[in-house]
Amino acid sequence: SPHFANTFSVRRYFMKTLRIITVLLLNSTILLAQNAKFQLIDSLNNSPIKYANIKSVKSDFGTSSDSLGFFDFDKNETAIINAVGYELSEINLQKENFKIKLSKKPIQIEEVLLEKRKNQTEILIDEFKASKINQFYGLSATRNASWIIGKYFENKSYKTKFLNSINVFTTSEIKNAKFNVRIYSVDENNLPKDELYSENIIGIAKKGRNKTKIDLSKTNIQIPKNGIFIAVDWLKVPENIYEYSYTMKNEKGKHKAQSYAPSFGCVLDEDLKKTLILRDNKWTNAIPDIMKKTNKYCIIAMELVLTD
């Protein structure tokens, strides 16, 4: 299979210079010359499966199913379909008809939750200052990749604390850009293991720079003893695409490209494993600070709010 590399670009954003880490796939062979339209549906009730993460087996290329479960992909490809609440599936699209059926994951109840929520006190973990953020993780729509990026939160005696919400720093040039939030348990190496919630949790980023709050109280999840991993998944749908212009060093003229909104802010930290990126079907470490060239890494700017 062909080799694919990643690079990053710096561009102007909202008339101010902000450093944005943007995924650009260098191999130009990723062209959907034989596109076909598919629809993801539930194997039991035939309901559409929306906002699934769909990625090529051969490369970093990917897309998302839309609100009705539809997506376009090269019919000669094999795709990995990662939908919240469903079994991870590797599908040879040549052998599939228009509709692709997915099976739900079995619900595993490990223990009975006896405590009731009081919602009397809150704990804020990993607070960040919005004014300090000038680097962002962004996803190119010119040459699509399919990343999921998240953050590990250690359990420091929060044994009886429920997830209440997260605040993630976003910047967007469109109104109400949507993204998916995924919640994972972690293994003994603090790597994401199993998804703890079986429904899509949709975040909505307003236009501009914002601390975007996502309510997690409905999940009724307590932070496990090993900690928890919370990730954001770009929705690669047409309504999230915007176009921008940029210049390259030592080159004249402007270039045009497209990205998916929103971009997610970063804070710098020496612990590269606080943020992990799902790419090439593996969880890999955070991107180094390539702008200031320090010995730190770009950790997604995410706060976790717990309640009793």
Side-chain angles (χ1 to χ4, degrees):
S1 61
H3 173 73
F4 296 90
N6 296 294
T7 189
F8 310 95
S9 67
V10 179
R11 66 178 180 79
R12 291 189 175 273
Y13 206 97
F14 295 106
M15 305 306 292
K16 296 180 181 179
T17 301
L18 295 177
R19 296 172 175 90
I20 296 184
I21 303 172
T22 303
V23 182
L24 295 177
L25 301 179
L26 296 184
N27 192 310
S28 60
T29 62
I30 305 179
L31 297 174
L32 297 185
Q34 300 187 55
N35 262 13
K37 185 175 287 292
F38 300 92
Q39 185 185 30
L40 299 179
I41 58 174
D42 186 284
S43 61
L44 293 179
N45 59 23
N46 292 328
S47 60
I49 300 173
K50 61 182 180 181
Y51 304 143
N53 184 300
I54 303 155
K55 180 188 171 299
S56 168
V57 167
K58 297 189 300 182
S59 72
D60 213 21
F61 176 84
T63 188
S64 300
S65 60
D66 65 16
S67 60
L68 296 176
F70 292 104
F71 68 97
D72 292 333
F73 222 87
D74 188 336
K75 65 182 180 181
N76 295 318
E77 281 267 18
T78 297
I80 295 174
I81 301 179
N82 185 348
V84 174
Y86 290 84
E87 296 285 1
L88 187 70
S89 301
E90 185 172 309
I91 304 292
N92 185 338
L93 298 177
Q94 285 182 311
K95 298 180 179 180
E96 290 294 327
N97 295 320
F98 165 69
K99 294 183 183 293
I100 299 173
K101 293 185 177 182
L102 300 183
S103 300
K104 285 190 174 179
K105 292 179 183 177
I107 300 174
Q108 297 180 350
I109 302 176
E110 296 182 356
E111 58 185 34
V112 178
L113 183 62
L114 299 177
E115 295 127 300
K116 292 184 178 179
R117 298 180 73 116
K118 299 177 183 177
N119 295 323
Q120 293 177 342
T121 59
E122 290 185 350
I123 299 173
L124 177 63
I125 303 174
D126 286 1
E127 183 178 11
F128 61 83
K129 292 184 178 180
S131 60
K132 300 292 185 180
I133 293 175
N134 61 4
Q135 295 192 49
F136 293 83
Y137 281 104
L139 192 69
S140 170
T142 305
R143 297 173 180 175
N144 294 16
S146 189
W147 286 19
I148 298 175
I149 181 171
K151 184 176 179 181
Y152 168 69
F153 292 93
E154 183 181 1
N155 185 347
K156 297 181 179 179
S157 75
Y158 307 131
K159 295 181 180 178
T160 61
K161 299 300 178 181
F162 291 87
L163 304 188
N164 187 58
S165 61
I166 56 169
N167 300 312
V168 60
F169 194 82
T170 60
T171 187
S172 176
E173 287 194 3
I174 65 174
K175 295 180 180 178
N176 300 328
K178 292 181 179 180
F179 58 94
N180 215 351
V181 176
R182 297 172 179 248
I183 305 173
Y184 298 86
S185 64
V186 296
D187 62 18
E188 61 277 6
N189 297 314
N190 298 335
L191 295 175
K193 186 179 178 184
D194 299 316
E195 287 196 79
L196 296 177
Y197 195 64
S198 60
E199 298 178 16
N200 289 313
I201 304 171
I202 302 301
I204 299 178
K206 296 180 180 179
K207 189 174 183 178
R209 293 168 54 98
N210 295 282
K211 264 192 181 185
T212 297
K213 181 178 180 180
I214 300 97
D215 183 10
L216 302 181
S217 60
K218 66 179 180 179
T219 66
N220 216 36
I221 293 172
Q222 293 189 72
I223 185 168
K225 64 178 182 180
N226 288 342
I228 202 163
F229 188 85
I230 302 178
V232 292
D233 181 5
W234 282 274
L235 295 184
K236 295 163 283 295
V237 292
E239 54 266 35
N240 277 348
I241 293 177
Y242 65 93
E243 187 174 279
Y244 64 92
S245 298
Y246 66 97
T247 57
M248 297 292 290
K249 188 176 181 180
N250 300 324
E251 288 188 13
K252 293 183 179 180
K254 293 185 177 181
H255 302 268
K256 289 187 177 181
Q258 292 181 327
S259 282
Y260 289 104
S263 296
F264 298 99
C266 307
V267 296
L268 298 179
D269 194 285
E270 292 181 358
D271 186 353
L272 77 169
K273 291 188 177 180
K274 278 189 176 180
T275 276
L276 296 174
I277 304 166
L278 183 62
R279 53 191 298 195
D280 294 328
N281 306 314
K282 298 178 183 178
W283 289 101
T284 59
N285 294 332
I287 301 298
D289 175 20
I290 61 174
M291 301 304 174
K292 297 181 180 178
K293 297 182 179 180
T294 65
N295 61 348
K296 296 183 178 180
Y297 296 84
C298 296
I299 308 304
I300 188 169
M302 183 187 293
E303 301 170 342
L304 174 60
V305 180
L306 301 176
T307 188
D308 59 355

